[in-house]
mmCIF file with all atom_site columns, all heavy atoms in Angstrom:
data_model
loop_
_atom_site.group_PDB
_atom_site.id
_atom_site.type_symbol
_atom_site.label_atom_id
_atom_site.label_alt_id
_atom_site.label_comp_id
_atom_site.label_asym_id
_atom_site.label_entity_id
_atom_site.label_seq_id
_atom_site.pdbx_PDB_ins_code
_atom_site.Cartn_x
_atom_site.Cartn_y
_atom_site.Cartn_z
_atom_site.occupancy
_atom_site.B_iso_or_equiv
_atom_site.pdbx_formal_charge
_atom_site.auth_seq_id
_atom_site.auth_comp_id
_atom_site.auth_asym_id
_atom_site.auth_atom_id
_atom_site.pdbx_PDB_model_num
ATOM 1   N N   . GLU A 1 1  ? -0.154 11.880  16.786  1.00 66.00 ? 73  GLU A N   1
ATOM 2   C CA  . GLU A 1 1  ? -0.005 10.440  16.752  1.00 66.00 ? 73  GLU A CA  1
ATOM 3   C C   . GLU A 1 1  ? -0.989 9.831   15.744  1.00 66.00 ? 73  GLU A C   1
ATOM 4   O O   . GLU A 1 1  ? -0.673 8.867   15.052  1.00 66.00 ? 73  GLU A O   1
ATOM 5   C CB  . GLU A 1 1  ? -0.242 9.843   18.134  1.00 66.00 ? 73  GLU A CB  1
ATOM 6   C CG  . GLU A 1 1  ? 0.826  10.203  19.111  1.00 66.00 ? 73  GLU A CG  1
ATOM 7   C CD  . GLU A 1 1  ? 0.478  9.723   20.506  1.00 66.00 ? 73  GLU A CD  1
ATOM 8   O OE1 . GLU A 1 1  ? -0.596 9.113   20.694  1.00 66.00 ? 73  GLU A OE1 1
ATOM 9   O OE2 . GLU A 1 1  ? 1.305  9.919   21.365  1.00 66.00 ? 73  GLU A OE2 1
ATOM 10  N N   . PHE A 1 2  ? -2.195 10.406  15.705  1.00 59.00 ? 74  PHE A N   1
ATOM 11  C CA  . PHE A 1 2  ? -3.208 9.911   14.777  1.00 59.00 ? 74  PHE A CA  1
ATOM 12  C C   . PHE A 1 2  ? -2.747 10.109  13.340  1.00 59.00 ? 74  PHE A C   1
ATOM 13  O O   . PHE A 1 2  ? -2.846 9.200   12.524  1.00 59.00 ? 74  PHE A O   1
ATOM 14  C CB  . PHE A 1 2  ? -4.541 10.649  15.016  1.00 59.00 ? 74  PHE A CB  1
ATOM 15  C CG  . PHE A 1 2  ? -5.597 10.271  14.026  1.00 59.00 ? 74  PHE A CG  1
ATOM 16  C CD1 . PHE A 1 2  ? -6.247 9.053   14.106  1.00 59.00 ? 74  PHE A CD1 1
ATOM 17  C CD2 . PHE A 1 2  ? -5.924 11.129  12.971  1.00 59.00 ? 74  PHE A CD2 1
ATOM 18  C CE1 . PHE A 1 2  ? -7.213 8.703   13.186  1.00 59.00 ? 74  PHE A CE1 1
ATOM 19  C CE2 . PHE A 1 2  ? -6.894 10.785  12.053  1.00 59.00 ? 74  PHE A CE2 1
ATOM 20  C CZ  . PHE A 1 2  ? -7.549 9.568   12.160  1.00 59.00 ? 74  PHE A CZ  1
ATOM 21  N N   . PHE A 1 3  ? -2.253 11.325  13.034  1.00 64.00 ? 75  PHE A N   1
ATOM 22  C CA  . PHE A 1 3  ? -1.784 11.576  11.679  1.00 64.00 ? 75  PHE A CA  1
ATOM 23  C C   . PHE A 1 3  ? -0.554 10.741  11.326  1.00 64.00 ? 75  PHE A C   1
ATOM 24  O O   . PHE A 1 3  ? -0.404 10.297  10.193  1.00 64.00 ? 75  PHE A O   1
ATOM 25  C CB  . PHE A 1 3  ? -1.490 13.075  11.492  1.00 64.00 ? 75  PHE A CB  1
ATOM 26  C CG  . PHE A 1 3  ? -2.738 13.884  11.347  1.00 64.00 ? 75  PHE A CG  1
ATOM 27  C CD1 . PHE A 1 3  ? -3.068 14.850  12.294  1.00 64.00 ? 75  PHE A CD1 1
ATOM 28  C CD2 . PHE A 1 3  ? -3.588 13.680  10.278  1.00 64.00 ? 75  PHE A CD2 1
ATOM 29  C CE1 . PHE A 1 3  ? -4.223 15.581  12.164  1.00 64.00 ? 75  PHE A CE1 1
ATOM 30  C CE2 . PHE A 1 3  ? -4.737 14.427  10.151  1.00 64.00 ? 75  PHE A CE2 1
ATOM 31  C CZ  . PHE A 1 3  ? -5.064 15.374  11.097  1.00 64.00 ? 75  PHE A CZ  1
ATOM 32  N N   . THR A 1 4  ? 0.306  10.526  12.297  1.00 72.00 ? 76  THR A N   1
ATOM 33  C CA  . THR A 1 4  ? 1.475  9.688   12.062  1.00 72.00 ? 76  THR A CA  1
ATOM 34  C C   . THR A 1 4  ? 1.018  8.258   11.776  1.00 72.00 ? 76  THR A C   1
ATOM 35  O O   . THR A 1 4  ? 1.507  7.607   10.837  1.00 72.00 ? 76  THR A O   1
ATOM 36  C CB  . THR A 1 4  ? 2.415  9.698   13.278  1.00 72.00 ? 76  THR A CB  1
ATOM 37  O OG1 . THR A 1 4  ? 2.768  11.038  13.568  1.00 72.00 ? 76  THR A OG1 1
ATOM 38  C CG2 . THR A 1 4  ? 3.660  8.888   13.016  1.00 72.00 ? 76  THR A CG2 1
ATOM 39  N N   . GLY A 1 5  ? 0.091  7.751   12.559  1.00 71.00 ? 77  GLY A N   1
ATOM 40  C CA  . GLY A 1 5  ? -0.439 6.406   12.340  1.00 71.00 ? 77  GLY A CA  1
ATOM 41  C C   . GLY A 1 5  ? -1.188 6.315   11.016  1.00 71.00 ? 77  GLY A C   1
ATOM 42  O O   . GLY A 1 5  ? -1.088 5.332   10.279  1.00 71.00 ? 77  GLY A O   1
ATOM 43  N N   . PHE A 1 6  ? -1.978 7.372   10.716  1.00 71.00 ? 78  PHE A N   1
ATOM 44  C CA  . PHE A 1 6  ? -2.732 7.399   9.462   1.00 71.00 ? 78  PHE A CA  1
ATOM 45  C C   . PHE A 1 6  ? -1.781 7.439   8.266   1.00 71.00 ? 78  PHE A C   1
ATOM 46  O O   . PHE A 1 6  ? -1.988 6.770   7.270   1.00 71.00 ? 78  PHE A O   1
ATOM 47  C CB  . PHE A 1 6  ? -3.669 8.622   9.465   1.00 71.00 ? 78  PHE A CB  1
ATOM 48  C CG  . PHE A 1 6  ? -4.524 8.686   8.251   1.00 71.00 ? 78  PHE A CG  1
ATOM 49  C CD1 . PHE A 1 6  ? -5.583 7.802   8.080   1.00 71.00 ? 78  PHE A CD1 1
ATOM 50  C CD2 . PHE A 1 6  ? -4.275 9.630   7.255   1.00 71.00 ? 78  PHE A CD2 1
ATOM 51  C CE1 . PHE A 1 6  ? -6.368 7.865   6.950   1.00 71.00 ? 78  PHE A CE1 1
ATOM 52  C CE2 . PHE A 1 6  ? -5.055 9.683   6.126   1.00 71.00 ? 78  PHE A CE2 1
ATOM 53  C CZ  . PHE A 1 6  ? -6.119 8.802   5.978   1.00 71.00 ? 78  PHE A CZ  1
ATOM 54  N N   . THR A 1 7  ? -0.739 8.248   8.398   1.00 82.00 ? 79  THR A N   1
ATOM 55  C CA  . THR A 1 7  ? 0.250  8.351   7.345   1.00 82.00 ? 79  THR A CA  1
ATOM 56  C C   . THR A 1 7  ? 0.949  7.007   7.148   1.00 82.00 ? 79  THR A C   1
ATOM 57  O O   . THR A 1 7  ? 1.169  6.564   6.021   1.00 82.00 ? 79  THR A O   1
ATOM 58  C CB  . THR A 1 7  ? 1.281  9.437   7.677   1.00 82.00 ? 79  THR A CB  1
ATOM 59  O OG1 . THR A 1 7  ? 0.595  10.660  7.900   1.00 82.00 ? 79  THR A OG1 1
ATOM 60  C CG2 . THR A 1 7  ? 2.285  9.614   6.566   1.00 82.00 ? 79  THR A CG2 1
ATOM 61  N N   . ALA A 1 8  ? 1.288  6.355   8.248   1.00 79.00 ? 80  ALA A N   1
ATOM 62  C CA  . ALA A 1 8  ? 1.955  5.051   8.166   1.00 79.00 ? 80  ALA A CA  1
ATOM 63  C C   . ALA A 1 8  ? 1.034  4.039   7.491   1.00 79.00 ? 80  ALA A C   1
ATOM 64  O O   . ALA A 1 8  ? 1.470  3.255   6.635   1.00 79.00 ? 80  ALA A O   1
ATOM 65  C CB  . ALA A 1 8  ? 2.366  4.572   9.549   1.00 79.00 ? 80  ALA A CB  1
ATOM 66  N N   . LEU A 1 9  ? -0.245 4.071   7.878   1.00 75.00 ? 81  LEU A N   1
ATOM 67  C CA  . LEU A 1 9  ? -1.204 3.161   7.250   1.00 75.00 ? 81  LEU A CA  1
ATOM 68  C C   . LEU A 1 9  ? -1.386 3.483   5.772   1.00 75.00 ? 81  LEU A C   1
ATOM 69  O O   . LEU A 1 9  ? -1.497 2.572   4.940   1.00 75.00 ? 81  LEU A O   1
ATOM 70  C CB  . LEU A 1 9  ? -2.559 3.233   7.964   1.00 75.00 ? 81  LEU A CB  1
ATOM 71  C CG  . LEU A 1 9  ? -2.641 2.492   9.290   1.00 75.00 ? 81  LEU A CG  1
ATOM 72  C CD1 . LEU A 1 9  ? -3.995 2.736   9.951   1.00 75.00 ? 81  LEU A CD1 1
ATOM 73  C CD2 . LEU A 1 9  ? -2.440 1.011   9.073   1.00 75.00 ? 81  LEU A CD2 1
ATOM 74  N N   . SER A 1 10 ? -1.429 4.739   5.417   1.00 82.00 ? 82  SER A N   1
ATOM 75  C CA  . SER A 1 10 ? -1.569 5.142   4.021   1.00 82.00 ? 82  SER A CA  1
ATOM 76  C C   . SER A 1 10 ? -0.362 4.683   3.207   1.00 82.00 ? 82  SER A C   1
ATOM 77  O O   . SER A 1 10 ? -0.501 4.168   2.088   1.00 82.00 ? 82  SER A O   1
ATOM 78  C CB  . SER A 1 10 ? -1.708 6.653   3.900   1.00 82.00 ? 82  SER A CB  1
ATOM 79  O OG  . SER A 1 10 ? -2.885 7.075   4.545   1.00 82.00 ? 82  SER A OG  1
ATOM 80  N N   . VAL A 1 11 ? 0.825  4.876   3.758   1.00 82.00 ? 83  VAL A N   1
ATOM 81  C CA  . VAL A 1 11 ? 2.036  4.460   3.075   1.00 82.00 ? 83  VAL A CA  1
ATOM 82  C C   . VAL A 1 11 ? 2.041  2.933   2.916   1.00 82.00 ? 83  VAL A C   1
ATOM 83  O O   . VAL A 1 11 ? 2.357  2.398   1.841   1.00 82.00 ? 83  VAL A O   1
ATOM 84  C CB  . VAL A 1 11 ? 3.295  4.941   3.830   1.00 82.00 ? 83  VAL A CB  1
ATOM 85  C CG1 . VAL A 1 11 ? 4.553  4.286   3.292   1.00 82.00 ? 83  VAL A CG1 1
ATOM 86  C CG2 . VAL A 1 11 ? 3.415  6.452   3.743   1.00 82.00 ? 83  VAL A CG2 1
ATOM 87  N N   . LEU A 1 12 ? 1.675  2.219   3.976   1.00 81.00 ? 84  LEU A N   1
ATOM 88  C CA  . LEU A 1 12 ? 1.599  0.763   3.892   1.00 81.00 ? 84  LEU A CA  1
ATOM 89  C C   . LEU A 1 12 ? 0.547  0.333   2.863   1.00 81.00 ? 84  LEU A C   1
ATOM 90  O O   . LEU A 1 12 ? 0.748  -0.638  2.129   1.00 81.00 ? 84  LEU A O   1
ATOM 91  C CB  . LEU A 1 12 ? 1.291  0.161   5.262   1.00 81.00 ? 84  LEU A CB  1
ATOM 92  C CG  . LEU A 1 12 ? 2.423  0.177   6.275   1.00 81.00 ? 84  LEU A CG  1
ATOM 93  C CD1 . LEU A 1 12 ? 1.935  -0.344  7.625   1.00 81.00 ? 84  LEU A CD1 1
ATOM 94  C CD2 . LEU A 1 12 ? 3.599  -0.635  5.792   1.00 81.00 ? 84  LEU A CD2 1
ATOM 95  N N   . GLY A 1 13 ? -0.578 1.069   2.817   1.00 81.00 ? 85  GLY A N   1
ATOM 96  C CA  . GLY A 1 13 ? -1.613 0.774   1.821   1.00 81.00 ? 85  GLY A CA  1
ATOM 97  C C   . GLY A 1 13 ? -1.102 0.988   0.410   1.00 81.00 ? 85  GLY A C   1
ATOM 98  O O   . GLY A 1 13 ? -1.384 0.191   -0.506  1.00 81.00 ? 85  GLY A O   1
ATOM 99  N N   . LEU A 1 14 ? -0.378 2.097   0.213   1.00 82.00 ? 86  LEU A N   1
ATOM 100 C CA  . LEU A 1 14 ? 0.203  2.358   -1.095  1.00 82.00 ? 86  LEU A CA  1
ATOM 101 C C   . LEU A 1 14 ? 1.219  1.282   -1.468  1.00 82.00 ? 86  LEU A C   1
ATOM 102 O O   . LEU A 1 14 ? 1.253  0.808   -2.613  1.00 82.00 ? 86  LEU A O   1
ATOM 103 C CB  . LEU A 1 14 ? 0.874  3.741   -1.114  1.00 82.00 ? 86  LEU A CB  1
ATOM 104 C CG  . LEU A 1 14 ? -0.064 4.924   -1.272  1.00 82.00 ? 86  LEU A CG  1
ATOM 105 C CD1 . LEU A 1 14 ? 0.714  6.221   -1.094  1.00 82.00 ? 86  LEU A CD1 1
ATOM 106 C CD2 . LEU A 1 14 ? -0.711 4.897   -2.633  1.00 82.00 ? 86  LEU A CD2 1
ATOM 107 N N   . ILE A 1 15 ? 2.051  0.914   -0.522  1.00 85.00 ? 87  ILE A N   1
ATOM 108 C CA  . ILE A 1 15 ? 3.036  -0.138  -0.788  1.00 85.00 ? 87  ILE A CA  1
ATOM 109 C C   . ILE A 1 15 ? 2.318  -1.447  -1.107  1.00 85.00 ? 87  ILE A C   1
ATOM 110 O O   . ILE A 1 15 ? 2.661  -2.149  -2.065  1.00 85.00 ? 87  ILE A O   1
ATOM 111 C CB  . ILE A 1 15 ? 3.992  -0.298  0.405   1.00 85.00 ? 87  ILE A CB  1
ATOM 112 C CG1 . ILE A 1 15 ? 4.887  0.946   0.533   1.00 85.00 ? 87  ILE A CG1 1
ATOM 113 C CG2 . ILE A 1 15 ? 4.850  -1.557  0.252   1.00 85.00 ? 87  ILE A CG2 1
ATOM 114 C CD1 . ILE A 1 15 ? 5.736  0.974   1.776   1.00 85.00 ? 87  ILE A CD1 1
ATOM 115 N N   . GLY A 1 16 ? 1.289  -1.766  -0.328  1.00 83.00 ? 88  GLY A N   1
ATOM 116 C CA  . GLY A 1 16 ? 0.518  -2.991  -0.566  1.00 83.00 ? 88  GLY A CA  1
ATOM 117 C C   . GLY A 1 16 ? -0.164 -2.954  -1.930  1.00 83.00 ? 88  GLY A C   1
ATOM 118 O O   . GLY A 1 16 ? -0.173 -3.938  -2.665  1.00 83.00 ? 88  GLY A O   1
ATOM 119 N N   . GLY A 1 17 ? -0.743 -1.799  -2.274  1.00 83.00 ? 89  GLY A N   1
ATOM 120 C CA  . GLY A 1 17 ? -1.390 -1.650  -3.572  1.00 83.00 ? 89  GLY A CA  1
ATOM 121 C C   . GLY A 1 17 ? -0.386 -1.781  -4.706  1.00 83.00 ? 89  GLY A C   1
ATOM 122 O O   . GLY A 1 17 ? -0.657 -2.412  -5.741  1.00 83.00 ? 89  GLY A O   1
ATOM 123 N N   . GLY A 1 18 ? 0.776  -1.176  -4.523  1.00 83.00 ? 90  GLY A N   1
ATOM 124 C CA  . GLY A 1 18 ? 1.833  -1.275  -5.525  1.00 83.00 ? 90  GLY A CA  1
ATOM 125 C C   . GLY A 1 18 ? 2.311  -2.716  -5.682  1.00 83.00 ? 90  GLY A C   1
ATOM 126 O O   . GLY A 1 18 ? 2.517  -3.200  -6.805  1.00 83.00 ? 90  GLY A O   1
ATOM 127 N N   . LEU A 1 19 ? 2.471  -3.391  -4.561  1.00 84.00 ? 91  LEU A N   1
ATOM 128 C CA  . LEU A 1 19 ? 2.885  -4.795  -4.625  1.00 84.00 ? 91  LEU A CA  1
ATOM 129 C C   . LEU A 1 19 ? 1.811  -5.657  -5.294  1.00 84.00 ? 91  LEU A C   1
ATOM 130 O O   . LEU A 1 19 ? 2.123  -6.553  -6.085  1.00 84.00 ? 91  LEU A O   1
ATOM 131 C CB  . LEU A 1 19 ? 3.186  -5.314  -3.215  1.00 84.00 ? 91  LEU A CB  1
ATOM 132 C CG  . LEU A 1 19 ? 4.473  -4.793  -2.567  1.00 84.00 ? 91  LEU A CG  1
ATOM 133 C CD1 . LEU A 1 19 ? 4.572  -5.294  -1.135  1.00 84.00 ? 91  LEU A CD1 1
ATOM 134 C CD2 . LEU A 1 19 ? 5.693  -5.224  -3.355  1.00 84.00 ? 91  LEU A CD2 1
ATOM 135 N N   . ARG A 1 20 ? 0.536  -5.368  -4.944  1.00 86.00 ? 92  ARG A N   1
ATOM 136 C CA  . ARG A 1 20 ? -0.547 -6.131  -5.571  1.00 86.00 ? 92  ARG A CA  1
ATOM 137 C C   . ARG A 1 20 ? -0.580 -5.885  -7.086  1.00 86.00 ? 92  ARG A C   1
ATOM 138 O O   . ARG A 1 20 ? -0.749 -6.812  -7.873  1.00 86.00 ? 92  ARG A O   1
ATOM 139 C CB  . ARG A 1 20 ? -1.884 -5.749  -4.950  1.00 86.00 ? 92  ARG A CB  1
ATOM 140 C CG  . ARG A 1 20 ? -3.012 -6.651  -5.407  1.00 86.00 ? 92  ARG A CG  1
ATOM 141 C CD  . ARG A 1 20 ? -4.278 -6.355  -4.705  1.00 86.00 ? 92  ARG A CD  1
ATOM 142 N NE  . ARG A 1 20 ? -4.755 -5.082  -5.237  1.00 86.00 ? 92  ARG A NE  1
ATOM 143 C CZ  . ARG A 1 20 ? -5.870 -4.485  -4.867  1.00 86.00 ? 92  ARG A CZ  1
ATOM 144 N NH1 . ARG A 1 20 ? -6.606 -5.008  -3.938  1.00 86.00 ? 92  ARG A NH1 1
ATOM 145 N NH2 . ARG A 1 20 ? -6.233 -3.355  -5.401  1.00 86.00 ? 92  ARG A NH2 1
ATOM 146 N N   . PHE A 1 21 ? -0.403 -4.625  -7.496  1.00 83.00 ? 93  PHE A N   1
ATOM 147 C CA  . PHE A 1 21 ? -0.377 -4.292  -8.914  1.00 83.00 ? 93  PHE A CA  1
ATOM 148 C C   . PHE A 1 21 ? 0.781  -5.011  -9.615  1.00 83.00 ? 93  PHE A C   1
ATOM 149 O O   . PHE A 1 21 ? 0.613  -5.607  -10.683 1.00 83.00 ? 93  PHE A O   1
ATOM 150 C CB  . PHE A 1 21 ? -0.245 -2.772  -9.096  1.00 83.00 ? 93  PHE A CB  1
ATOM 151 C CG  . PHE A 1 21 ? -0.081 -2.352  -10.522 1.00 83.00 ? 93  PHE A CG  1
ATOM 152 C CD1 . PHE A 1 21 ? -1.177 -2.307  -11.364 1.00 83.00 ? 93  PHE A CD1 1
ATOM 153 C CD2 . PHE A 1 21 ? 1.172  -2.004  -11.026 1.00 83.00 ? 93  PHE A CD2 1
ATOM 154 C CE1 . PHE A 1 21 ? -1.029 -1.921  -12.689 1.00 83.00 ? 93  PHE A CE1 1
ATOM 155 C CE2 . PHE A 1 21 ? 1.318  -1.625  -12.345 1.00 83.00 ? 93  PHE A CE2 1
ATOM 156 C CZ  . PHE A 1 21 ? 0.225  -1.569  -13.179 1.00 83.00 ? 93  PHE A CZ  1
ATOM 157 N N   . ALA A 1 22 ? 1.960  -4.934  -9.000  1.00 81.00 ? 94  ALA A N   1
ATOM 158 C CA  . ALA A 1 22 ? 3.135  -5.591  -9.578  1.00 81.00 ? 94  ALA A CA  1
ATOM 159 C C   . ALA A 1 22 ? 2.902  -7.108  -9.662  1.00 81.00 ? 94  ALA A C   1
ATOM 160 O O   . ALA A 1 22 ? 3.258  -7.749  -10.663 1.00 81.00 ? 94  ALA A O   1
ATOM 161 C CB  . ALA A 1 22 ? 4.377  -5.285  -8.750  1.00 81.00 ? 94  ALA A CB  1
ATOM 162 N N   . TRP A 1 23 ? 2.323  -7.688  -8.618  1.00 84.00 ? 95  TRP A N   1
ATOM 163 C CA  . TRP A 1 23 ? 2.050  -9.126  -8.616  1.00 84.00 ? 95  TRP A CA  1
ATOM 164 C C   . TRP A 1 23 ? 1.080  -9.512  -9.731  1.00 84.00 ? 95  TRP A C   1
ATOM 165 O O   . TRP A 1 23 ? 1.296  -10.492 -10.437 1.00 84.00 ? 95  TRP A O   1
ATOM 166 C CB  . TRP A 1 23 ? 1.503  -9.545  -7.252  1.00 84.00 ? 95  TRP A CB  1
ATOM 167 C CG  . TRP A 1 23 ? 1.191  -11.011 -7.179  1.00 84.00 ? 95  TRP A CG  1
ATOM 168 C CD1 . TRP A 1 23 ? -0.030 -11.585 -7.217  1.00 84.00 ? 95  TRP A CD1 1
ATOM 169 C CD2 . TRP A 1 23 ? 2.125  -12.077 -7.093  1.00 84.00 ? 95  TRP A CD2 1
ATOM 170 N NE1 . TRP A 1 23 ? 0.065  -12.939 -7.158  1.00 84.00 ? 95  TRP A NE1 1
ATOM 171 C CE2 . TRP A 1 23 ? 1.406  -13.284 -7.079  1.00 84.00 ? 95  TRP A CE2 1
ATOM 172 C CE3 . TRP A 1 23 ? 3.513  -12.139 -7.029  1.00 84.00 ? 95  TRP A CE3 1
ATOM 173 C CZ2 . TRP A 1 23 ? 2.013  -14.512 -7.003  1.00 84.00 ? 95  TRP A CZ2 1
ATOM 174 C CZ3 . TRP A 1 23 ? 4.097  -13.381 -6.943  1.00 84.00 ? 95  TRP A CZ3 1
ATOM 175 C CH2 . TRP A 1 23 ? 3.358  -14.551 -6.937  1.00 84.00 ? 95  TRP A CH2 1
ATOM 176 N N   . LYS A 1 24 ? 0.015  -8.724  -9.918  1.00 83.00 ? 96  LYS A N   1
ATOM 177 C CA  . LYS A 1 24 ? -0.954 -9.012  -10.979 1.00 83.00 ? 96  LYS A CA  1
ATOM 178 C C   . LYS A 1 24 ? -0.318 -8.868  -12.360 1.00 83.00 ? 96  LYS A C   1
ATOM 179 O O   . LYS A 1 24 ? -0.601 -9.658  -13.263 1.00 83.00 ? 96  LYS A O   1
ATOM 180 C CB  . LYS A 1 24 ? -2.172 -8.098  -10.858 1.00 83.00 ? 96  LYS A CB  1
ATOM 181 C CG  . LYS A 1 24 ? -3.106 -8.495  -9.751  1.00 83.00 ? 96  LYS A CG  1
ATOM 182 C CD  . LYS A 1 24 ? -4.363 -7.663  -9.772  1.00 83.00 ? 96  LYS A CD  1
ATOM 183 C CE  . LYS A 1 24 ? -5.310 -8.115  -8.694  1.00 83.00 ? 96  LYS A CE  1
ATOM 184 N NZ  . LYS A 1 24 ? -6.577 -7.375  -8.731  1.00 83.00 ? 96  LYS A NZ  1
ATOM 185 N N   . GLN A 1 25 ? 0.521  -7.860  -12.515 1.00 81.00 ? 97  GLN A N   1
ATOM 186 C CA  . GLN A 1 25 ? 1.208  -7.686  -13.790 1.00 81.00 ? 97  GLN A CA  1
ATOM 187 C C   . GLN A 1 25 ? 2.124  -8.878  -14.079 1.00 81.00 ? 97  GLN A C   1
ATOM 188 O O   . GLN A 1 25 ? 2.135  -9.412  -15.195 1.00 81.00 ? 97  GLN A O   1
ATOM 189 C CB  . GLN A 1 25 ? 2.025  -6.383  -13.787 1.00 81.00 ? 97  GLN A CB  1
ATOM 190 C CG  . GLN A 1 25 ? 1.199  -5.132  -13.848 1.00 81.00 ? 97  GLN A CG  1
ATOM 191 C CD  . GLN A 1 25 ? 0.446  -5.026  -15.154 1.00 81.00 ? 97  GLN A CD  1
ATOM 192 O OE1 . GLN A 1 25 ? 0.988  -5.296  -16.221 1.00 81.00 ? 97  GLN A OE1 1
ATOM 193 N NE2 . GLN A 1 25 ? -0.817 -4.659  -15.080 1.00 81.00 ? 97  GLN A NE2 1
ATOM 194 N N   . LEU A 1 26 ? 2.853  -9.293  -13.078 1.00 78.00 ? 98  LEU A N   1
ATOM 195 C CA  . LEU A 1 26 ? 3.785  -10.407 -13.246 1.00 78.00 ? 98  LEU A CA  1
ATOM 196 C C   . LEU A 1 26 ? 3.031  -11.709 -13.536 1.00 78.00 ? 98  LEU A C   1
ATOM 197 O O   . LEU A 1 26 ? 3.365  -12.417 -14.483 1.00 78.00 ? 98  LEU A O   1
ATOM 198 C CB  . LEU A 1 26 ? 4.648  -10.563 -11.993 1.00 78.00 ? 98  LEU A CB  1
ATOM 199 C CG  . LEU A 1 26 ? 5.669  -11.696 -12.006 1.00 78.00 ? 98  LEU A CG  1
ATOM 200 C CD1 . LEU A 1 26 ? 6.701  -11.457 -13.099 1.00 78.00 ? 98  LEU A CD1 1
ATOM 201 C CD2 . LEU A 1 26 ? 6.348  -11.819 -10.659 1.00 78.00 ? 98  LEU A CD2 1
ATOM 202 N N   . THR A 1 27 ? 2.029  -12.011 -12.750 1.00 79.00 ? 99  THR A N   1
ATOM 203 C CA  . THR A 1 27 ? 1.278  -13.253 -12.965 1.00 79.00 ? 99  THR A CA  1
ATOM 204 C C   . THR A 1 27 ? 0.478  -13.189 -14.262 1.00 79.00 ? 99  THR A C   1
ATOM 205 O O   . THR A 1 27 ? 0.302  -14.213 -14.930 1.00 79.00 ? 99  THR A O   1
ATOM 206 C CB  . THR A 1 27 ? 0.359  -13.574 -11.778 1.00 79.00 ? 99  THR A CB  1
ATOM 207 O OG1 . THR A 1 27 ? -0.528 -12.480 -11.554 1.00 79.00 ? 99  THR A OG1 1
ATOM 208 C CG2 . THR A 1 27 ? 1.159  -13.861 -10.532 1.00 79.00 ? 99  THR A CG2 1
ATOM 209 N N   . GLY A 1 28 ? 0.020  -12.013 -14.643 1.00 78.00 ? 100 GLY A N   1
ATOM 210 C CA  . GLY A 1 28 ? -0.692 -11.871 -15.915 1.00 78.00 ? 100 GLY A CA  1
ATOM 211 C C   . GLY A 1 28 ? 0.219  -12.176 -17.093 1.00 78.00 ? 100 GLY A C   1
ATOM 212 O O   . GLY A 1 28 ? -0.173 -12.840 -18.043 1.00 78.00 ? 100 GLY A O   1
#
């Protein structure tokens, strides 16, 4: 359960980071 939760958080972090990168590129 811990690894599943950690994996989910990591994936969400990657998605969030990707969205933040895309947002900065677009606004830039």
Side-chain angles (χ1 to χ4, degrees):
E73 292 174 0
F74 175 75
F75 284 116
T76 304
F78 183 73
T79 304
L81 283 175
S82 297
V83 169
L84 287 175
L86 281 173
I87 292 172
L91 288 175
R92 189 175 72 179
F93 175 78
W95 180 256
K96 284 186 178 183
Q97 288 295 317
L98 179 63
T99 57

